[in-house]
Amino acid sequence: MDEFIGNQKAIHIFENLSPYFYGLGDPIRQQIIALLIDKESMNVTEIAEHILMSRPNVSHHLKVLKQAGLLRVQKKGTQMFYSLEFNEVIALMKQLVHFVEEECQY
């Protein structure tokens, strides 16, 4: 493959992954993701109990994760429940791994 085309493809994949990397780039958000891996869904109060932060701070991090496309939100009554939404990021990471495997010689 032409080097320029290959680099452009890598850049395109990284551009698509950028919001996910940003969302995952904070230790608190990483803790929230790790917590939600073991739970089907949680509300902000439940998350704040485990993260040991105020609800407003947890809400801010949840907002960033949602904007990054890493969480989905479902309203149940007056509560908002958060769960992981990893399908797209996993598909993009697989594209990146496949590209690297195809293009890089070890």
Side-chain angles (χ1 to χ4, degrees):
M1 176 182 266
D2 183 279
E3 184 177 335
F4 179 75
I5 294 170
N7 289 342
Q8 289 299 99
K9 184 173 181 181
I11 289 168
H12 179 71
I13 294 170
F14 279 120
E15 286 172 348
N16 288 331
L17 282 167
S18 182
Y20 302 112
F21 288 147
Y22 175 76
L24 294 169
D26 182 273
I28 298 301
R29 293 193 289 274
Q30 293 166 9
Q31 289 178 33
I32 292 170
I33 293 294
L35 180 62
L36 288 172
I37 287 171
D38 294 331
K39 307 287 183 181
E40 185 174 322
S41 67
M42 297 177 80
N43 66 30
V44 67
T45 302
E46 294 168 330
I47 295 168
E49 290 171 358
H50 291 277
I51 302 297
L52 302 177
M53 293 186 100
S54 69
R55 287 184 72 234
N57 283 338
V58 170
S59 291
H60 165 74
H61 287 289
L62 290 169
K63 179 182 175 183
V64 171
L65 288 167
K66 184 178 177 288
Q67 288 174 335
L70 294 164
L71 294 181
R72 67 177 160 260
V73 182
Q74 181 179 10
K75 188 172 184 175
K76 296 179 184 175
T78 59
Q79 296 286 320
M80 303 296 273
F81 285 83
Y82 298 87
S83 58
L84 296 179
E85 178 66 74
F86 267 38
N87 293 336
E88 187 174 334
V89 70
I90 288 171
L92 288 168
M93 290 298 286
K94 285 179 180 179
Q95 281 182 20
L96 179 62
V97 168
H98 179 72
F99 175 77
V100 171
E101 287 175 342
E102 292 287 318
E103 296 299 318
C104 297
Q105 302 298 320
Y106 298 104

